[in-house]
């Protein structure tokens, strides 16, 4: 499987996904099934304060200051989620990709930046609301996609969070389109009775796990 516009090759994607989703009785190392199966309210598309704590299952610390900022952002985030069409990223057009990137507009406000709420944290909140469309990412994913064909170096004046997300989201969409059959098969590796995962979630797992080896 070639990803990041063909710049990266992952040879053992099935093993990586199988390791991530395999059940363990003790010593859980990965977030599945608890992050993906977490139930916070009766309507899975609506944000509530419980969703703001979901990133802890991915190893992110949510202190009171971050919780305060995320709570204040909830109305804006929900409005943005409500405007998204009923697409998965693999079939999304450029306009939809730009709408997903626009979810991160509040992070370009210096007052939010001061409270240590970054795009990777917001992604961990938002992904569960639209798991087929809003990607997860962290520093490992960012490094994986750092390539002229995907996310080239920032220009001298830097770039906004939204501008970065446009590049990353479109690069991920291309990977999903180029490997659609493989990602569908990998998504089916979840254990019987476990919460389902989308091809987009699988892409995050493959990229993240491949960075550990």
């Amino acid at each position: 499987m070639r990803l990041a516009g063909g710049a990266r090759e992952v040879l053992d994607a099935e093993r990586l996904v199988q390791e991530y989703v395999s059940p363990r009785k003790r010593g859980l190392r990965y977030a599945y099934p608890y992050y993906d199966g977490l139930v916070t309210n009766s309507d899975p598309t609506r944000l509530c304060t419980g969703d703001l704590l979901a990133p802890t299952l991915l190893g992110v610390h949510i202190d009171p200051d971050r919780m305060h900022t995320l709570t204040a952002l909830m109305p804006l985030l929900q409005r943005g989620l409500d405007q998204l069409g009923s697409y998965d990223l693999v079939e999304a057009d450029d306009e939809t990709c730009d709408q997903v990137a626009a979810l991160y507009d509040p992070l370009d406000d210096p007052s939010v930046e001061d409270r240590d709420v970054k795009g990777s944290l917001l992604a961990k909140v938002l992904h569960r609301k639209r798991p087929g469309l809003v990607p997860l990412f962290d520093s490992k994913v960012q490094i994986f996609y750092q390539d002229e064909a995907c996310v080239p170096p920032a220009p001298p004046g830097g770039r906004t969070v939204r501008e970065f997300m446009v590049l990353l989201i479109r690069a991920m969409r291309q990977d999903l389109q180029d490997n659609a059959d493989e990602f569908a098969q990998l998504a089916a590796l979840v254990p019987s009775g476990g919460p389902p995962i989308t091809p987009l979630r699988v892409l995050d797992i493959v990229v993240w796990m491949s960075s550990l080896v």
Side-chain angles (χ1 to χ4, degrees):
M1 176 185 290
R2 300 202 71 89
L3 300 173
R8 312 278 188 189
E9 185 174 16
V10 179
L11 299 174
D12 53 354
E14 182 174 347
R15 180 188 64 80
L16 296 175
V17 175
Q18 192 73 64
E19 179 181 345
Y20 192 95
V21 302
S22 293
R24 295 174 178 81
K25 292 183 179 180
R26 297 187 62 185
L28 284 171
R29 184 179 179 188
Y30 308 119
Y32 185 89
Y34 298 109
Y35 171 80
D36 302 274
L38 181 67
V39 177
T40 54
N41 55 17
S42 58
D43 184 349
T45 67
R46 307 296 299 178
L47 282 168
C48 68
T49 51
D51 295 308
L52 309 182
L53 296 172
T56 61
L57 295 169
L58 293 168
V60 178
H61 177 61
I62 305 294
D63 59 21
D65 199 37
R66 279 180 163 176
M67 190 68 176
H68 174 82
T69 301
L70 290 170
T71 301
L73 292 177
M74 275 181 58
L76 283 174
L77 299 176
Q78 187 63 62
R79 192 176 309 139
L81 287 168
D82 290 343
Q83 292 172 355
L84 297 176
S86 56
Y87 308 102
D88 284 346
L89 185 57
V90 68
E91 60 188 1
D93 57 18
D94 286 349
E95 181 180 355
T96 300
C97 290
D98 293 348
Q99 287 178 321
V100 176
L103 292 169
Y104 297 83
D105 281 351
L107 299 187
D108 291 313
D109 183 336
S111 66
V112 174
E113 188 172 311
D114 289 343
R115 292 184 179 274
D116 196 27
V117 173
K118 308 299 183 186
S120 56
L121 171 55
L122 212 58
K124 291 171 174 62
V125 172
L126 295 171
H127 171 76
R128 295 176 55 260
K129 302 291 98 178
R130 295 297 302 274
L133 182 60
V134 179
L136 285 165
F137 77 95
D138 62 6
S139 60
K140 292 181 176 62
V141 175
Q142 288 179 259
I143 292 170
F144 188 91
Y145 278 97
Q146 283 178 356
D147 185 83
E148 287 292 342
C150 297
V151 183
R159 60 168 64 105
T160 64
V161 178
R162 180 176 182 172
E163 289 169 342
F164 166 78
M165 291 306 301
V166 167
L167 295 170
L168 180 63
I169 290 166
R170 293 187 183 190
M172 288 180 159
R173 177 186 62 179
Q174 190 63 54
D175 282 344
L176 291 172
Q177 291 173 344
D178 291 345
N179 302 277
D181 291 341
E182 292 91 335
F183 280 117
Q185 293 168 7
L186 293 172
L189 292 176
V190 295
S192 177
I197 55 176
T198 63
L200 180 57
R201 173 67 162 125
V202 173
L203 173 59
D204 170 72
I205 292 171
V206 169
V207 171
W208 192 82
M209 292 287 286
S210 68
S211 71
L212 301 180
V213 298

